[in-house]
Amino acid sequence: MSRRPFIRKMRRSWWLRRRRTLFYMMRELTSLFIGLYSALLALGLVQLARGSQAWDSFIALITSRGGVIFQLLCFAFALFHSVTWFAVTPKAVPLSAPAKAVIGAHYAVWAVISVVVLLLAGRFVDGSIQ
Amino acid sequence: MDVVPADILVIGAGGAGLRAAISIAEASPSLAVSLLSKVYPMRSHTVAAEGGAAGVIKDNDSLDNHFHDTVAGGDWLSDQDAVELFVKTAPLELTQIEHWGCPWSRESSGRVAVRPFGGMKIERTWYAADKTGFHMLHTLFQTSLKFPSIRRFDEFYVTDLLVDDGRCVGAAAIEIRSGRMMAFVARAVIIAMGGAGRVFPFTTNGAIKTGDGMAMAYRAGVPLKDMEFVQYHPTGLPGTGILITEGARGEGGILINKDGYRYLQDYNLGPPDPWPRKKAMELGPRDRLSQAFWHEQKKARTVKTAYGDVVHLDIRHLGEKKIDERLPMVRELATTYCGVDPVHAPIPVRPVVHYFMGGIHTDIETATLVAGLFACGECACVSINGANRLGSNSLTELLVFGAFAGRNAAAFATSHPLPREALVVSLARAAQARIRTLFEREGGEESTSRLRKLMTHTMETGAGIYRTRESLEETCEFLTQLRDRYDRLQLEDRSNVFNTDLIQALELGSMLEVAQAIAHSALRREESRGSHQRLDYPERDDSNFLKHSLAIYRGTEPPDIDYCDVTITRSKPGKRVYGDGAP
Amino acid sequence: MSDTVLLSITRYDPEKHSEPVFQSYTVPYHEDWVVLDALNYIKDNLDGTLTFRWSCHMAVCGSCGMMINGEPKLSCNAFLRDYQDKTIKVEPLDGFPIERDVVVVIDSFMVKLASVKPYLIAKEERALSEGEYLQTPAQLAVFKHYTQCINCLLCYAACPQTKLNEDFIGPAALALAHRYNLDTRDGGKKARAETVTSNEGIWECTFVGACSQVCPKHVDPAAAIQQTKISASVDWFKSLLQGNRS
């Protein structure tokens, strides 16, 4: 038979070719940074349990230039992750409320939780562990 | 040559073909069904139908009303026993497809909604927004996936019916992707291959509507009935011919000429108020509306555009909300293909060829004169539509007669043996030889696209909305020449793999045969009735022509035209009255 | 503004070519022409061997999907005026084997479509004589846009997962399963679950969202899949709780 269907191979760089897929890969990459940040927090807890010296070295780490840059990067990616996630929730969960209200509600809850966490953190800083 | 045996062969997987296959599979799951189509079923042209499907459902309606509307709409050329059966079966079939999941639009009570439609006294047109054909086709196709006894052959182009000693024994088909010819053997065969709008230059019909089913039945000895009756849908977009559903008028749309005047009132369809009123003005029958356009054009009252003359379909007064709810596709089509948003501006429209009332001559049970051969859907002529079809009867027709064809083909198959394979293969080889001649030809001077263009042009000029003896004779003569030139057709594409040049050449062959049947039938009918209008015979002539025409294939010679009786039962031929005096 | 347009089209005839090549054609420019009109012009006047699928020319049959300047589009819906002064590159739909020129093999999709049992599995039986199932406009509105899929496969071409994993059931098929799951007359969610919630089903989707972006009928398959993920998870939890009880 003369048929010979031609199969096109997908290139490794498939995600670079269009803006839409590049954006998608960046979005997925955020999970890496969120994972790393979670590891950092876990490290902090471990160091805290180990005593004041270990804790001081942890503080030194996160206040160092590299440490700050890393955390800012994580914050940026977490922000990106959250914004893109909020934007698509109306699709994934079709509530009877209009999309804007659903997205708005997410931001509102996020703001409230952020405020609560910051207040609690402030409390601990005041009665800080020496 | 590869051979595929089956109990029943269904050719065509649009609304009628799918309904037939499902009917067989449901009732007799042990019967093997081969379902062939030259395109994937979702592409069948049923998909483009918009407005709705008629079936009596309201308390203030009756089968009698549907019957009378249809018979009068058909200008008394419909076979009334068939119409009786049709209107009775319609509501059941529409309910059946609802049970299969068809998303009919609803009233607030949850019951199926109906809308008014042209030529119908009481609203009975079930609709799924303005994409009824789409929803019906997809519901049928998806339902067909339930049945393992239906074996599909997608993108197989059937070239010939195989007939032995007065019985249809199968078909020869090309597997388009490989170019391989195959022989399909069956105990019964159903043709559901659609109409032939592509014979004309301006049509709502898609590329695939090339009358292959009509042509192959014709060549196999089955007469083509009432071919002169070609329906022009009053509202197609200029240039593309894209259909703007009658539903737009059912919802209250109006037609105005260049002076903003609702001209239909000048053609015995008025008065224009109170509006809306059934069977009046824009809800008149299609033949009258298309003919009115022609007259307006002669009076220079139509609007000139780059694509010829148009009139305006105005739905602005319906408001954006109603348009988006009931006519979203109309809005999308007008905006996309015409640059006109019907919420803010009227849509330019003109009559375009849409439907064939005529077709393969069958009886009330979808059987043809060839034993074991059945036909249903647009390619068939029972006849329920007579000289002019009412909108929304056709989608119902697919279901009603598709189901009948399935049932009757199954009955035939279970009482007849499978034809001998060797016999069928030898018949298929003869078909193959014919195609090889075309495929292997060198030095031919004609091209498919040029002959096709010449054919469509002569059909529109000579056999359009209004015809005369001179125009028809000229077209008949020219078609004979074109058929002769067809024998010198040269293919450019010589590949075996998905050769659309070959397919289009074969489709052209079908179209030329169908065109001849149309033109000669029209020439012989010396009266005006329904959609067949003669300027030289402007009146209806019941004493001579209250009968069906039968075009009989004579090879390279023009067809013989014979006649057969119309079955008249309860409704004696009368005047078709629309507008003020409509019954 | 030129009065001609240049099209560069994939040509592939396995009887002549070892692999696809590009061929260029110059066609007249018309303001309201779509790419399909240009392809037909080429076939009728310049090169009768050019091969492509089409039928309705009104974006409802789904035949004419192809890659136009790298984007999956219906050629009957891609207007020349939107590509002014650029060469228009016409290629076969991504992710499917090329049969001939811009015609692709869609066998895999037909199998995937059938695998989700895309037909009504009635929740309760009803005789024809009892008339239609009742369904309010509000109930219809819930699933209506998921019924609009024309099977054009632009979503498969846009979705990277269908290429990274050939067995992925894909957007259109999963959206159709969702359509039936949401239909108040249907009781077949469980019957479909085996395929829909399999490893090749919804869980292969990583919510790229490209499918919904390219869909010409606004079916929103991405939403359908994510909603199915939530619904499937809830059902799984429920079955876990019920399992514990027994």
Side-chain angles (χ1 to χ4, degrees):
Chain A
M1 260 200 339
S2 9
R3 283 187 72 212
R4 197 165 28 95
F6 185 85
I7 297 178
R8 291 163 285 181
K9 293 275 178 282
M10 198 171 177
R11 275 180 248 173
R12 283 268 172 89
S13 58
W14 64 268
W15 53 278
L16 281 168
R17 296 183 69 209
R18 303 214 76 76
R19 200 174 53 161
R20 173 199 300 142
T21 43
L22 178 63
F23 183 87
Y24 161 73
M25 284 306 251
M26 297 306 290
R27 191 193 85 191
E28 297 298 285
L29 198 66
T30 63
S31 56
L32 180 70
F33 283 87
I34 289 172
L36 286 173
Y37 189 72
S38 310
L40 185 69
L41 291 178
L43 177 66
L45 281 174
V46 166
Q47 298 295 67
L48 185 65
R50 279 214 187 134
S52 56
Q53 224 179 358
W55 177 247
D56 286 339
S57 75
F58 178 71
I59 298 293
L61 175 68
I62 63 174
T63 50
S64 73
R65 181 112 152 260
V68 170
I69 290 174
F70 172 71
Q71 286 167 90
L72 283 173
L73 216 59
C74 286
F75 183 63
F77 273 111
L79 212 62
F80 181 57
H81 179 101
S82 304
V83 167
T84 53
W85 179 248
F86 290 173
V88 297
T89 28
K91 273 207 182 178
V93 189
L95 300 170
S96 42
K100 283 207 161 68
V102 173
I103 298 172
H106 277 79
Y107 279 104
V109 171
W110 188 24
V112 167
I113 292 179
S114 301
V115 165
V116 168
V117 167
L118 284 170
L119 284 174
L120 284 173
R123 274 292 209 60
F124 276 112
V125 165
D126 281 344
S128 61
I129 311 153
Q130 288 304 327
Chain B
M1 183 182 282
D2 284 332
V3 183
V4 179
D7 293 304
I8 296 146
L9 176 62
V10 180
I11 313 175
L18 286 167
R19 182 67 188 89
I22 293 169
S23 150
I24 300 163
E26 255 197 336
S28 326
S30 59
L31 291 177
V33 177
S34 288
L35 178 58
L36 268 65
S37 169
K38 68 179 179 181
V39 290
Y40 282 94
M42 318 77 88
R43 321 299 186 210
S44 304
H45 206 60
T46 309
V47 83
E50 297 171 9
V56 172
I57 191 178
K58 283 227 168 294
D59 290 330
N60 63 341
D61 198 5
S62 70
L63 297 178
D64 228 38
N65 283 331
H66 195 180
F67 171 83
H68 283 291
D69 285 342
T70 301
V71 171
D75 222 344
W76 279 276
L77 204 66
S78 315
D79 291 301
Q80 294 177 21
D81 53 345
V83 178
E84 202 88 69
L85 185 59
F86 168 71
V87 302
K88 191 168 92 166
T89 317
L92 287 164
E93 280 296 324
L94 294 174
T95 306
Q96 172 65 87
I97 200 175
E98 190 274 331
H99 281 206
W100 286 331
C102 189
W104 295 116
S105 293
R106 305 278 178 160
E107 295 175 343
S108 51
S109 64
R111 299 213 60 199
V112 166
V114 285
R115 58 155 64 122
F117 233 68
M120 303 232 182
K121 180 175 172 148
I122 303 208
E123 52 264 45
R124 59 180 76 100
T125 297
W126 302 37
Y127 61 100
D130 54 355
K131 295 171 78 164
T132 310
F134 164 82
H135 286 292
M136 282 176 60
L137 181 69
H138 279 251
T139 302
L140 288 169
F141 171 59
Q142 285 156 20
T143 302
S144 76
L145 297 174
K146 272 200 290 198
F147 303 101
S149 63
I150 301 175
R151 189 176 163 200
R152 279 201 344 266
F153 294 83
D154 299 323
E155 294 189 323
F156 276 71
Y157 181 84
V158 176
T159 62
D160 294 277
L161 289 174
L162 306 174
V163 177
D164 173 59
D165 201 19
R167 179 187 173 192
C168 184
V169 294
I174 301 174
E175 181 186 37
I176 297 179
R177 59 163 120 189
S178 66
R180 235 175 10 140
M181 193 101 179
M182 287 168 60
F184 288 83
V185 186
R187 303 204 258 166
V189 177
I190 301 175
I191 306 181
M193 294 161 78
R198 301 301 288 192
V199 165
F200 290 84
F202 307 113
T203 174
T204 60
N205 287 190
I208 58 179
K209 298 287 292 290
T210 51
D212 302 301
M214 291 177 181
M216 78 181 62
Y218 183 48
R219 289 198 305 273
V222 183
L224 292 181
K225 193 161 79 195
D226 292 342
M227 291 302 287
E228 62 271 49
F229 298 101
V230 178
Q231 182 169 78
Y232 278 77
H233 191 289
T235 57
L237 291 179
T240 54
I242 287 172
L243 173 69
I244 298 295
T245 177
E246 188 158 300
R249 287 173 277 131
E251 296 295 337
I254 57 175
L255 285 168
I256 50 181
N257 65 13
K258 80 175 201 310
D259 305 316
Y261 174 65
R262 284 174 70 197
Y263 57 92
L264 294 175
Q265 59 191 290
D266 292 350
Y267 302 96
N268 295 320
L269 289 164
D273 289 312
W275 178 251
R277 184 174 62 246
K278 315 287 183 338
K279 292 173 91 157
M281 295 298 288
E282 286 82 358
L283 288 179
R286 290 175 177 180
D287 52 346
R288 289 281 185 82
L289 265 62
S290 298
Q291 287 149 23
F293 173 90
W294 186 89
H295 286 289
E296 287 293 296
Q297 206 178 20
K298 290 279 166 283
K299 293 176 192 165
R301 300 210 304 213
T302 47
V303 179
K304 297 217 172 304
T305 71
Y307 286 104
D309 294 327
V310 301
V311 287
H312 283 149
L313 173 64
D314 197 349
I315 58 172
R316 286 175 294 182
H317 52 285
L318 300 182
E320 187 166 7
K321 189 159 177 283
K322 197 170 194 187
I323 292 175
D324 281 341
E325 187 198 312
R326 303 277 186 93
L327 302 169
M329 175 127 127
V330 166
R331 189 177 187 185
E332 200 184 312
L333 291 170
T335 311
T336 310
Y337 293 102
C338 233
V340 167
D341 184 348
V343 170
H344 303 297
I347 312 169
V349 292
R350 52 159 296 150
V352 290
V353 168
H354 181 61
Y355 179 85
F356 277 66
M357 272 67 73
I360 302 171
H361 173 44
T362 74
D363 66 12
I364 196 176
E365 296 282 338
T366 73
T368 68
L369 298 174
V370 172
L373 182 64
F374 302 82
C376 57
E378 190 183 349
C379 72
C381 181
V382 186
S383 158
I384 56 159
N385 298 308
N388 168 67
R389 175 174 72 78
L390 294 184
S392 74
N393 266 349
S394 171
L395 286 175
T396 310
E397 182 184 3
L398 303 177
L399 301 176
V400 169
F401 292 99
F404 286 169
R407 192 180 67 202
N408 295 320
F412 186 93
T414 43
S415 55
H416 286 78
L418 189 69
R420 280 190 311 115
E421 208 172 278
L423 165 70
V424 178
V425 170
S426 73
L427 291 169
R429 287 206 195 286
Q432 188 179 37
R434 180 177 70 91
I435 291 161
R436 274 242 170 82
T437 310
L438 167 64
F439 189 68
E440 291 169 355
R441 183 177 296 137
E442 296 283 357
E445 319 107 33
E446 303 288 356
S447 81
T448 306
S449 61
R450 190 173 60 219
L451 289 185
R452 186 172 59 221
K453 214 169 181 166
L454 291 170
M455 171 192 69
T456 60
H457 180 75
T458 192
M459 290 304 284
E460 186 68 30
T461 319
I465 299 177
Y466 278 94
R467 303 148 170 183
T468 63
R469 172 180 293 131
E470 289 74 41
S471 76
L472 287 168
E473 278 177 348
E474 206 177 300
T475 293
C476 285
E477 170 55 37
F478 194 55
L479 286 172
T480 305
Q481 288 175 30
L482 288 178
R483 280 197 69 199
D484 186 57
R485 287 166 71 173
Y486 180 78
D487 289 335
R488 293 187 289 287
L489 196 62
Q490 179 59 52
L491 292 185
E492 250 184 275
D493 192 348
R494 313 304 279 276
S495 176
N496 282 298
V497 177
F498 220 100
N499 189 332
T500 49
D501 194 9
L502 172 64
I503 300 299
Q504 284 187 10
L506 294 172
E507 287 172 335
L508 176 62
S510 300
M511 286 197 280
L512 286 170
E513 287 166 348
V514 168
Q516 258 196 332
I518 297 169
H520 283 270
S521 302
L523 178 61
R524 287 287 303 276
R525 183 173 290 270
E526 292 170 344
E527 63 151 3
S528 287
R529 183 186 298 265
S531 63
H532 169 74
Q533 295 288 315
R534 294 279 298 257
L535 290 171
D536 45 355
Y537 296 95
E539 296 303 318
R540 200 175 83 192
D541 180 2
D542 284 345
S543 45
N544 287 312
F545 286 103
L546 186 56
K547 44 195 183 182
H548 298 295
S549 68
L550 295 170
I552 295 156
Y553 186 66
R554 287 281 170 263
T556 49
E557 292 299 308
D560 279 345
I561 308 294
D562 198 358
Y563 290 90
C564 71
D565 290 329
V566 179
T567 307
I568 311 250
T569 57
R570 297 198 282 122
S571 175
K572 294 280 168 280
K575 268 200 87 184
R576 287 172 76 202
V577 184
Y578 297 98
D580 210 6
Chain C
M1 253 297 308
S2 144
D3 54 0
T4 59
V5 181
L6 188 67
L7 277 83
S8 176
I9 308 176
T10 302
R11 303 303 311 275
Y12 176 67
D13 179 353
E15 292 181 345
K16 286 213 295 262
H17 306 112
S18 57
E19 57 176 35
V21 296
F22 279 98
Q23 191 167 352
S24 291
Y25 302 90
T26 304
V27 308
Y29 172 82
H30 290 257
E31 230 241 290
D32 49 356
W33 269 23
V34 286
V35 170
L36 177 60
D37 295 326
L39 296 177
N40 273 318
Y41 176 87
I42 296 168
K43 190 170 179 73
D44 287 348
N45 299 289
L46 303 177
D47 184 346
T49 67
L50 185 63
T51 304
F52 48 94
R53 289 188 177 115
W54 75 284
S55 185
C56 73
H57 198 301
M58 54 191 265
V60 76
C61 73
S63 307
C64 66
M66 38 192 95
M67 305 302 283
I68 297 179
N69 282 358
E71 275 293 301
K73 290 201 89 96
L74 296 176
S75 69
C76 73
N77 218 3
F79 287 84
L80 294 187
R81 59 177 178 254
D82 294 332
Y83 298 93
Q84 275 176 29
D85 297 332
K86 286 189 250 184
T87 300
I88 304 179
K89 203 166 180 203
V90 181
E91 298 168 280
L93 221 48
D94 251 359
F96 294 96
I98 307 176
E99 185 79 75
R100 173 89 199 267
D101 294 356
V102 292
V103 173
V104 293
V105 181
I106 67 167
D107 295 11
S108 59
F109 169 72
M110 298 306 286
V111 170
K112 290 171 182 177
L113 180 67
S115 75
V116 302
K117 298 191 169 64
Y119 37 80
L120 200 77
I121 298 171
K123 200 182 285 176
E124 30 175 83
E125 286 309 309
R126 194 179 175 94
L128 283 187
S129 51
E130 291 177 80
E132 70 268 41
Y133 287 95
L134 292 182
Q135 184 173 73
T136 64
Q139 289 173 327
L140 174 61
V142 169
F143 70 94
K144 193 159 162 194
H145 60 289
Y146 297 120
T147 64
Q148 311 280 35
C149 175
I150 61 176
N151 298 166
C152 65
L153 308 185
L154 300 192
C155 54
Y156 284 73
C159 172
Q161 295 298 357
T162 56
K163 289 147 226 155
L164 293 166
N165 176 8
E166 275 172 18
D167 294 328
F168 175 38
I169 304 279
L174 291 170
L176 195 57
H178 192 52
R179 167 256 181 279
Y180 280 103
N181 286 342
L182 289 178
D183 193 327
T184 47
R185 303 166 288 186
D186 181 85
K189 189 149 75 138
K190 229 175 177 173
R192 289 179 200 108
E194 200 192 316
T195 311
V196 169
T197 62
S198 70
N199 284 334
E200 285 75 41
I202 50 177
W203 301 113
E204 197 58 39
C205 166
T206 55
F207 204 173
V208 176
C211 55
S212 293
Q213 283 177 334
V214 302
C215 177
K217 295 291 160 186
H218 314 291
V219 173
D220 205 353
I225 296 173
Q226 310 323 309
Q227 288 168 32
T228 309
K229 284 180 186 171
I230 293 178
S231 144
S233 305
V234 168
D235 287 343
W236 181 77
F237 267 115
K238 278 195 194 153
S239 74
L240 213 61
L241 293 172
Q242 276 161 359
N244 280 343
R245 236 179 271 137
S246 60

